[in-house]
């Protein structure tokens, strides 16, 4: 397997690899297959597993139907890259030689090979021109009748003809050795795994496959059962999109309620809400123009964006509504026109709205610096959020004032426009609290500082992980036994595992692969079973179900267990090459020493709190039968080494000598010794072979011994390695890895030439955290520059940035009391919170400055400005908070897993920043402007 950096041109990469393979292929031995490139797909592109079972149709017929009827039909579907088939018996035509009969008829191996090589291939005789016609000459040699094949001549001597049927049995049978088998709910089956091409819609392709399967059902045997529910990636995607849409709708409803409760005015509510559909529609159209799909992540940015979409419109509408009301309360002779009032009110908040949008965009920019898988996953979320936010700002600056001029300029007779009772009561209580806070500055600042310190201490105790756990609705269970066990024994253990899983009420069906399919990218030995187990949760949580699974699977004799989920499982495989959260890679030259050290590491860390599914890669020696030539005896009998090798290959492994055609189906014609002479070690020793004109047992010219040898040899960057893998259960990934590293450093001494590397999700988390830390520093700098551009004051910009620690406090608190783990989405939530929380501070400070320019003192400006901006700040904060609530509470639902930590952080940060912002910013504004005001007072006194 060759890996390239993200962003590499896939076609260029394939071209480079193809050129390298062409060079390497010429250097390989002639009896080794030429390396070829697999299809342009990845294991994450596996979108469906289809199971075939039958009560009466044989497994050989099932496999033939899968290979020659179903697979070609699926491969012809646009968007399908590969269809791999496992299970059943692969049909082949067999020529089973009987060495005793060959001896009786004095037929040698070379004579048989000469007679059967390409024996069933039609031939061309060129073209005949006669009587004005052109005849194509065809030699029809091919036959699919075993009797006809048996009548093929092997040799003729002394007027006696020896036919193939005289020395061999010709029949149809199952190709051996089998490298894989399959089952569905414990019943022998054939499984087809469908893999899609890149940039293909999973949902659309799944619909095409379902239609193709339904069309095929009419042509298949009636007793054939087709199960397409074993694994369907489309189901997880549909559930995810459905849950994200639900969060979107619920968030929108909360926004409507808050707007109406505060304004008690249908017209202002309608004007504010127009922003949402226009912004979301703009985002969807922009995504389409950019060539991006509407997926879980791009849709996930929209519920998060809802918390900010109406903020600009609320600020504008509320200010216009307030100024129009004030204008109507003054004498008619000095009133301004409604359009003038709307223009001035909109202009008053225009720059804060624009700058706040730019600040939020700047806070989201670090997301686009993420590389690797996390960058690919989260970039669509950031794009949809930013596009929707920019669209809402444009609407607020253009359409909202226009709608205000139409809907808010008509005076309602006998009724004075005013805020709701709830808004008036909040303003009254806030005024009292603000006066108290301004009189007790040290107490308020000290209490706030204490909260910030406590939150920092909490932050240091939080765990860390790469991505939050998904809820995919399906488990992937790996059951591995010792290498060297037979496929039948491994199949028996896999069947026991299936029966244990099916006894769990939440698990509805299972599909099992034992070993590997011929074209599968999963290079598993026959000692490994992989089980897909879809589940439906009812009374118990997923964690409780997994605990019962582990408990029941522990009873399997000599088996190691790993439990994951289909997509998470494949993400782990892409990140570290292993299907677990943590991969401890041990490198060294000696295979046995590697395995011994791997078990030492396993013993050292097996009791670490939170570790689960701990396994050592089974790179151990397995039984082998070694056949070595006795060179002196080979020379005595005149047998060359190539002839000796051919004897071993043909008589034991079998050699494909031709093909048999049945309509459009092609089956191998294989030559080998019959089963009776190959099933035991003694039978192989007594196998009769040619020795010139003599027939002698194989053991006369070869040393045949039972020994052991390597099962598999894994390498990474040309170095031998063995992997110790584990999952985290009930604990954060980063903390678990730190404990594991500590145990290994203190308890395992590595010899010279051996070293350890750690891989898995935590490695990606560390890299992403470093990138986000650096990017967020620059993001904060950009935010400060934007604030300075707005206020032309370093002091005021710093006062507004006080929202950052205030917002972080709430985010940390909510993470601490919920999951207790900071993931990459949560970190992005903290960074995004910087921009969202800064908006309120900008509104306050800009209003304070406006009132001071009108001649009010600093304290009066602060009190009046704070009361003035209370309603828009509360409305934007509450609409944002309630819009995020469905996402924050639905974190265990499919599709919400990544957005939920972001929503929780932003929700908690908004609550604390809004609450403290209303007191801390006014206090700090007074403190930082006290000298300026005293200086102005002194100057006035001096002038007088």
């Amino acid at each position: 397997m060759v890996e390239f950096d993200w962003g590499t041109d896939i076609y260029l990469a394939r071209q480079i690899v193809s050129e390298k393979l062409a060079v390497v292929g010429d250097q390989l031995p002639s009896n080794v297959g030429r390396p070829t490139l697999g299809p342009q797909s990845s294991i994450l592109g596996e979108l469906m597993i289809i199971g075939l079972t039958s009560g009466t149709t044989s497994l050989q017929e099932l496999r033939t139907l899968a290979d020659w009827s179903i697979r070609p039909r699926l491969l012809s579907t646009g968007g399908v890259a590969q269809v791999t088939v496992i299970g059943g018996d692969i049909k082949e035509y067999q020529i089973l030689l009987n060495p005793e009969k060959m001896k009786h008829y004095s037929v040698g191996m070379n004579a048989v090979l000469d007679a059967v090589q390409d024996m069933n291939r039609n031939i061309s005789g060129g073209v005949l021109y006669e009587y004005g016609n052109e005849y194509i000459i065809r030699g029809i040699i091919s036959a699919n009748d075993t009797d006809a094949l048996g009548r093929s001549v092997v040799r003729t001597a002394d007027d006696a003809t020896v036919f193939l049927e005289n020395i061999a049995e010709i029949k149809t049978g199952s190709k051996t050795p089998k490298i894989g088998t399959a089952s569905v709910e414990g019943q022998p089956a054939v499984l087809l795994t469908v893999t899609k091409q890149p940039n293909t819609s999973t949902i659309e392709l799944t619909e095409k496959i379902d239609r193709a399967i339904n069309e095929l059902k009419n042509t298949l045997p009636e007793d054939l059962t087709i199960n397409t529910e074993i694994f369907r990636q489309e189901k997880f995607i549909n559930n995810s999109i459905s849950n994200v849409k639900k969060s979107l709708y619920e968030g929108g409803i909360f926004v409507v309620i808050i707007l109406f409760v505060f304004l008690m005015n249908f017209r202002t509510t309608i004007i504010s809400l127009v922003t949402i559909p226009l912004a979301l529609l703009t985002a969807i159209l922009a995504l389409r123009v950019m060539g991006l799909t509407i997926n879980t992540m791009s849709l996930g940015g929209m519920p998060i964006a809802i918390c900010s979409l109406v903020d600009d419109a609320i600020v504008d509408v509320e200010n216009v509504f307030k100024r129009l009301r004030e204008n109507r309360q003054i004498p008619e002779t000095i009133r301004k026109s409604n359009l003038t009032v709307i223009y001035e009110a909109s202009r008053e908040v225009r720059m804060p709205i624009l700058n706040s949008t730019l600040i939020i965009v700047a806070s989201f920019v670090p997301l686009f610096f993420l590389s690797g898988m996390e960058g690919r996953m989260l970039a669509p979320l950031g794009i949809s959020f930013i596009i929707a936010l920019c669209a809402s700002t444009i609407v607020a600056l253009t359409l909202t004032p226009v709608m205000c001029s139409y809907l808010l300029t008509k005076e309602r007779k006998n009724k004075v426009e005013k805020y709701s009772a709830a808004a008036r009561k909040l303003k009254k209580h806030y005024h009292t609290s603000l006066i108290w806070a301004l009189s007790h500055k040290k107490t308020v600042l000290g209490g706030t500082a204490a909260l910030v310190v406590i939150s920092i201490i909490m932050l240091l105790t939080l765990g860390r992980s790469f991505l939050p756990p998904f809820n995919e609705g399906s488990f992937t269970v790996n059951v591995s036994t010792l290498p060297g066990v037979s496929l039948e024994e491994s199949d028996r253990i896999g069947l026991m595992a299936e029966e244990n899983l099916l006894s769990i009420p939440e698990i509805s069906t299972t599909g099992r692969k034992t070993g590997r399919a011929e074209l599968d990218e999963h290079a598993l030995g026959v000692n490994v079973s992989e089980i897909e187990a879809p589940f439906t949760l009812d009374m118990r949580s997923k964690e409780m179900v997994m605990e019962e699974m582990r408990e029941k699977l522990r009873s399997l004799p000599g088996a190691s267990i790993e439990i994951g989920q289909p997509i998470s499982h494949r993400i782990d495989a892409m990140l570290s090459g292993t299907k677990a959260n943590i991969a401890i890679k041990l490198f060294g030259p000696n295979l046995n020493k590697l395995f011994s050290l791997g078990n030492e590491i396993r013993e050292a860390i097996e009791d670490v709190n939170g570790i689960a599914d701990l396994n050592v890669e089974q790179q151990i020696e397995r039984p082998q039968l070694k056949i070595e030539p006795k060179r002196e005896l080979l020379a005595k009998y005149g047998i060359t080494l190539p002839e000796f090798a051919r004897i071993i290959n043909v008589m034991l492994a079998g050699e494909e000598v031709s093909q048999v055609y049945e309509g459009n189906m092609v089956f191998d014609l294989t030559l080998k010794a019959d089963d009776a002479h190959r099933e035991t070690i003694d039978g192989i020793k007594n196998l009769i072979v040619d020795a010139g004109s003599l027939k002698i047992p194989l053991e006369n010219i070869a040393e045949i011994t039972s020994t052991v040898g390597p099962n598999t040899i894994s390498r990474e960057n040309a170095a031998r390695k063995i992997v110790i893998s584990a999952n985290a259960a009930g604990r954060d990934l980063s903390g678990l890895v730190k404990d594991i590293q500590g145990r290994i450093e203190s308890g395992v001494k590595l010899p010279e030439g051996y070293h350890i590397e750690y891989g898995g999700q935590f490695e990606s988390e560390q890299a992403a955290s470093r990138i986000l830390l650096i990017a967020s520093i620059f993001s904060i700098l950009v935010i400060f520059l934007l604030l300075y551009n707005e206020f032309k004051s370093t002091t005021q910009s710093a006062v507004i940035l006080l929202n950052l620690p205030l917002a972080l406090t709430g985010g940390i608190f909510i993470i601490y009391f919920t999951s207790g783990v900071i993931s990459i989405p949560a970190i992005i939530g903290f960074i995004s919170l910087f921009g969202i929380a800064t908006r309120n501070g900008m509104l306050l400070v800009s209003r304070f400055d406006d009132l001071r320019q009108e001649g009010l003192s600093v304290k009066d400006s602060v009190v009046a400005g704070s009361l003035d901006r209370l309603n828009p700040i509360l409305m934007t904060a509450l609409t944002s908070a309630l819009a995020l609530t469905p996402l924050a509470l639905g974190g265990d639902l499919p599709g919400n897993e990544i957005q939920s930590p972001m929503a929780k952080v932003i929700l908690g940060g908004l609550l604390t920043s809004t609450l403290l912002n209303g007191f801390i910013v006014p206090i700090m504004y007074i403190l930082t402007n006290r000298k300026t005001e005293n200086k102005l007072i002194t100057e006035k006194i001096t002038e007088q």
Side-chain angles (χ1 to χ4, degrees):
M1 182 177 68
V2 182
E3 292 184 1
F4 288 86
D5 290 333
W6 291 95
T8 303
D9 185 335
I10 184 64
Y11 298 104
L12 176 62
R14 290 177 69 86
Q15 178 64 31
I16 293 171
V17 173
S18 296
E19 293 172 0
K20 299 289 185 183
L21 289 180
V23 174
V24 172
D26 294 334
Q27 300 171 356
L28 296 175
S30 59
N31 62 338
V32 174
R34 293 187 68 85
T36 56
L37 276 178
Q40 188 179 330
S41 61
S42 75
I43 56 175
L44 271 178
E46 294 179 1
L47 57 83
M48 182 184 288
I49 295 177
I50 302 167
L52 306 179
T53 54
S54 175
T56 57
T57 303
S58 69
L59 286 174
Q60 187 179 98
E61 291 173 316
L62 269 183
R63 180 60 186 257
T64 302
L65 285 169
D67 283 334
W68 297 103
S69 296
I70 300 175
R71 182 172 182 267
R73 177 68 179 85
L74 296 179
L75 280 172
S76 67
T77 305
V80 173
Q82 180 63 285
V83 178
T84 58
V85 186
I86 186 173
D89 297 321
I90 301 174
K91 182 179 178 179
E92 72 173 0
Y93 283 75
Q94 299 172 341
I95 303 172
L96 303 178
L97 297 172
N98 186 308
E100 283 79 13
K101 290 183 178 181
M102 290 176 64
K103 180 179 181 180
H104 174 75
Y105 286 103
S106 299
V107 175
M109 175 67 69
N110 291 334
V112 175
L113 286 169
D114 290 341
V116 301
Q117 196 71 48
D118 296 329
M119 65 177 287
N120 208 45
R121 181 177 298 173
N122 293 337
I123 199 73
S124 171
V127 180
L128 170 67
Y129 298 97
E130 190 175 18
Y131 308 118
N133 294 323
E134 181 183 85
Y135 297 89
I136 297 173
I137 302 173
R138 299 175 60 206
I140 306 300
I141 302 172
S142 175
N144 55 28
D145 178 37
T146 55
D147 291 335
L149 294 171
R151 298 297 295 168
S152 301
V153 176
V154 177
R155 66 184 289 270
T156 301
D158 302 326
D159 297 327
T161 300
V162 179
F163 296 99
L164 192 58
E165 64 184 3
N166 298 138
I167 59 171
E169 179 186 6
I170 296 90
K171 66 173 187 175
T172 59
S174 301
K175 184 181 281 291
T176 57
K178 290 179 67 173
I179 60 173
T181 187
S183 68
V184 174
E185 296 180 14
Q187 182 180 354
V190 174
L191 296 182
L192 297 96
T193 303
V194 184
T195 306
K196 70 171 187 172
Q197 295 175 354
N199 302 318
T200 301
S201 169
T202 299
I203 295 175
E204 291 178 6
L205 183 54
T206 302
E207 291 173 354
K208 290 180 183 178
I209 292 171
D210 285 337
R211 285 197 297 271
I213 293 295
N214 289 330
E215 292 169 4
L216 281 168
K217 283 181 179 178
N218 299 325
T219 64
L220 299 174
E222 293 183 358
D223 69 319
L224 187 68
T225 301
I226 301 178
N227 186 340
T228 60
E229 299 300 320
I230 298 169
F231 171 64
R232 293 172 68 97
Q233 197 178 107
E234 164 256 2
K235 185 180 291 185
F236 173 66
I237 293 172
N238 278 334
N239 288 339
S240 300
I241 291 175
S242 175
N243 288 324
V244 171
K245 284 181 178 178
K246 183 183 176 185
S247 299
L248 191 61
Y249 299 148
E250 290 173 349
I253 291 170
F254 281 131
V255 170
V256 174
I257 293 171
I258 291 299
L259 288 176
F260 190 72
V261 165
F262 269 86
L263 298 176
M264 291 301 288
N265 188 300
F266 282 109
R267 293 170 295 161
T268 53
T269 302
I270 291 171
I271 295 170
S272 300
L273 289 177
V274 165
T275 307
I276 295 178
L278 289 177
L280 295 181
L281 182 61
T282 303
I284 292 171
L285 292 174
L287 288 171
R288 188 171 186 83
V289 170
M290 295 170 68
L292 300 174
T293 59
I294 304 299
N295 53 43
T296 306
M297 298 311 300
S298 57
L299 274 179
M302 295 178 188
I304 295 175
I306 273 194
C307 74
S308 299
L309 292 185
V310 293
D311 287 2
D312 294 337
I314 287 174
V315 172
D316 199 1
V317 171
E318 191 276 338
N319 205 45
V320 169
F321 183 70
K322 179 177 61 181
R323 298 300 179 222
L324 285 173
R325 189 184 68 248
E326 292 172 351
N327 189 54
R328 288 169 188 151
Q329 292 173 356
I330 63 177
E332 202 168 327
T333 54
I334 58 173
R335 283 185 194 174
K336 298 178 182 178
S337 67
N338 288 329
L339 288 180
T340 302
V341 173
I342 292 171
Y343 170 73
E344 291 177 351
S346 296
R347 189 179 63 176
E348 183 181 318
V349 294
R350 180 162 297 175
M351 288 311 296
I353 286 175
L354 182 60
N355 280 305
S356 64
T357 299
L358 292 175
I359 286 172
I360 294 174
V361 170
S363 69
F364 261 83
V365 166
L367 188 149
F368 298 101
F369 284 90
L370 290 173
S371 58
M373 187 177 299
E374 61 275 17
R376 293 299 186 279
M377 291 178 67
L378 295 169
L381 184 149
I383 291 170
S384 62
F385 179 94
I386 289 174
I387 292 172
L389 183 65
C390 291
S392 73
T393 301
I394 294 171
V395 170
L397 296 178
T398 56
L399 183 61
T400 299
V402 174
M403 292 186 69
C404 288
S405 69
Y406 281 103
L407 297 179
L408 300 183
T409 54
K410 295 179 181 179
E411 292 190 52
R412 302 177 68 179
K413 294 182 178 180
N414 302 322
K415 186 168 183 180
V416 178
E417 300 279 11
K418 58 182 180 179
Y419 285 110
S420 66
R424 293 196 301 273
K425 286 184 179 179
L426 282 172
K427 185 171 286 191
K428 178 182 177 182
H429 291 303
Y430 174 64
H431 181 260
T432 304
S433 303
L434 180 60
I435 296 300
W436 182 89
L438 294 177
S439 302
H440 301 80
K441 297 182 183 68
K442 291 183 179 179
T443 303
V444 175
L445 292 176
T448 304
L451 280 176
V452 172
V453 171
I454 291 171
S455 67
I456 292 172
I457 295 172
M458 287 181 171
L459 177 63
L460 298 176
T461 65
L462 294 176
R464 289 165 60 186
S465 68
F466 178 50
L467 294 174
F470 292 171
N471 180 11
E472 301 176 31
S474 182
F475 292 117
T476 297
V477 182
N478 268 53
V479 181
S480 58
T481 57
L482 289 175
V485 303
S486 66
L487 180 63
E488 290 73 18
E489 178 64 14
S490 186
D491 183 46
R492 185 185 69 82
I493 294 173
L495 178 60
M496 293 170 59
E498 273 191 284
E499 291 171 349
N500 286 339
L501 292 174
L502 288 168
S503 67
I504 298 172
E506 288 81 1
I507 294 177
S508 53
T509 186
T510 58
R512 173 173 57 88
K513 300 177 185 177
T514 297
R516 65 174 294 187
E518 284 70 18
L519 300 173
D520 204 343
E521 293 183 26
H522 298 264
L524 303 177
V526 297
N527 62 309
V528 179
S529 293
E530 184 174 280
I531 304 172
E532 301 292 344
F535 63 88
T536 303
L537 298 178
D538 186 16
M539 302 298 293
R540 299 191 296 175
S541 67
K542 186 182 73 173
E543 288 70 25
M544 294 174 67
V545 175
M546 289 179 69
E547 185 58 37
E548 183 180 352
M549 290 170 64
R550 287 193 171 100
E551 186 64 34
K552 290 195 171 186
L553 294 175
R554 285 193 190 103
S555 63
L556 297 179
S560 300
I561 308 299
E562 283 182 0
I563 300 176
Q565 297 183 93
I567 296 175
S568 308
H569 196 63
R570 288 158 175 80
I571 288 175
D572 288 330
M574 290 183 69
L575 289 175
S576 64
T578 61
K579 297 171 182 178
N581 300 153
I582 304 166
I584 306 168
K585 302 175 184 179
L586 176 62
F587 294 86
N590 185 278
L591 189 64
N592 290 328
K593 187 64 176 177
L594 280 174
F595 187 71
S596 174
L597 289 171
N599 280 295
E600 282 187 42
I601 292 172
R602 184 184 189 281
E603 292 172 2
I605 66 175
E606 62 185 353
D607 60 344
V608 173
N609 180 39
I611 201 167
D613 306 331
L614 179 61
N615 290 305
V616 179
E617 189 178 357
Q618 297 296 321
Q619 288 190 43
I620 60 175
E621 294 184 330
R622 56 165 294 169
Q624 291 184 353
L625 189 65
K626 188 182 295 183
I627 302 176
E628 295 180 295
K630 298 176 180 177
R631 295 175 185 266
E632 295 80 4
L633 292 174
L634 287 183
K636 176 183 177 181
Y637 291 111
I639 301 173
T640 65
L641 286 174
E643 287 176 337
F644 178 80
R646 193 77 182 271
I647 290 170
I648 302 300
N649 181 57
V650 173
M651 299 299 283
L652 299 181
E655 183 174 310
E656 296 170 5
V657 293
S658 191
Q659 284 79 37
V660 178
Y661 295 86
E662 294 182 9
N664 292 326
M665 297 183 290
V666 184
F667 302 100
D668 290 333
L669 178 60
T670 303
L671 175 69
K672 56 185 172 182
D674 60 16
D675 294 341
H677 292 85
R678 295 183 298 111
E679 288 182 337
T680 63
I681 295 176
D682 288 337
I684 292 173
K685 287 181 177 180
N686 296 319
L687 187 67
I688 303 299
V689 298
D690 295 332
S693 59
L694 302 176
K695 304 288 184 181
I696 60 174
L698 179 61
E699 66 178 346
N700 285 12
I701 58 171
E703 192 72 40
I704 303 172
T705 55
S706 176
T707 182
V708 292
N711 169 49
T712 57
I713 299 177
S714 295
R715 293 180 183 271
E716 187 172 311
N717 296 328
R720 279 190 178 184
K721 70 165 185 177
I722 193 170
V723 177
I724 303 93
S725 60
N727 287 321
R731 189 179 174 191
D732 70 287
L733 192 59
S734 182
L736 177 59
V737 171
K738 285 180 181 178
D739 285 356
I740 289 173
Q741 290 173 332
R743 289 285 188 93
I744 293 174
E745 288 173 5
S746 61
V748 179
K749 185 177 181 181
L750 297 179
E752 184 180 349
Y754 293 80
H755 71 278
I756 288 175
E757 292 180 9
Y758 295 88
Q761 288 193 16
F762 82 96
E763 190 178 33
S764 299
E765 183 270 331
Q766 290 177 340
S769 297
R770 285 193 297 269
I771 292 171
L772 288 175
L773 176 62
I774 296 169
S776 60
I777 292 172
F778 284 100
S779 178
I780 293 173
L781 179 61
V782 171
I783 291 173
F784 178 81
L785 293 175
L786 287 169
L787 290 173
Y788 184 81
N789 181 62
E790 168 72 12
F791 297 102
K792 303 296 186 295
S793 169
T794 304
T795 305
Q796 291 189 358
S797 300
V799 168
I800 295 171
L801 282 179
L802 283 174
N803 276 287
L804 302 190
L806 303 183
L808 287 175
T809 299
I812 294 169
F813 270 60
I814 202 167
I815 290 292
Y816 183 86
F817 290 109
T818 53
S819 65
V821 177
I822 293 181
S823 59
I824 296 302
I827 293 174
I828 294 171
F830 278 114
I831 297 170
S832 307
L833 188 58
F834 294 168
I836 296 172
T838 304
R839 182 197 301 265
N840 293 341
M842 287 184 65
L843 288 172
L844 280 176
V845 173
S846 64
R847 186 57 183 156
F848 296 163
D849 288 346
D850 290 342
L851 291 174
R852 287 190 65 198
Q853 289 177 6
E854 294 176 10
L856 272 67
S857 65
V858 172
K859 184 174 181 180
D860 290 342
S861 298
V862 165
V863 174
S866 299
L867 293 173
D868 213 19
R869 288 288 182 253
L870 177 65
N871 281 337
I873 287 175
L874 284 179
M875 279 193 288
T876 55
L878 286 174
T879 52
S880 298
L882 291 176
L884 291 171
T885 300
L887 266 181
L889 296 179
D892 58 339
L893 298 176
N896 288 0
E897 299 96 337
I898 290 180
Q899 293 91 334
S900 183
M902 295 177 65
K904 287 178 182 177
V905 168
I906 296 173
L907 176 60
L910 278 174
L911 293 176
T912 54
S913 67
T914 302
L915 180 63
L916 298 174
N917 180 75
F919 301 101
I920 300 300
V921 171
I923 291 173
M924 293 305 299
Y925 188 89
I926 289 175
L927 293 176
T928 55
N929 285 275
R930 180 183 294 167
K931 290 183 179 179
T932 305
E933 186 174 37
N934 291 338
K935 184 178 178 181
L936 289 173
I937 293 172
T938 304
E939 288 177 355
K940 287 182 181 179
I941 294 173
T942 304
E943 290 174 0
Q944 292 176 359

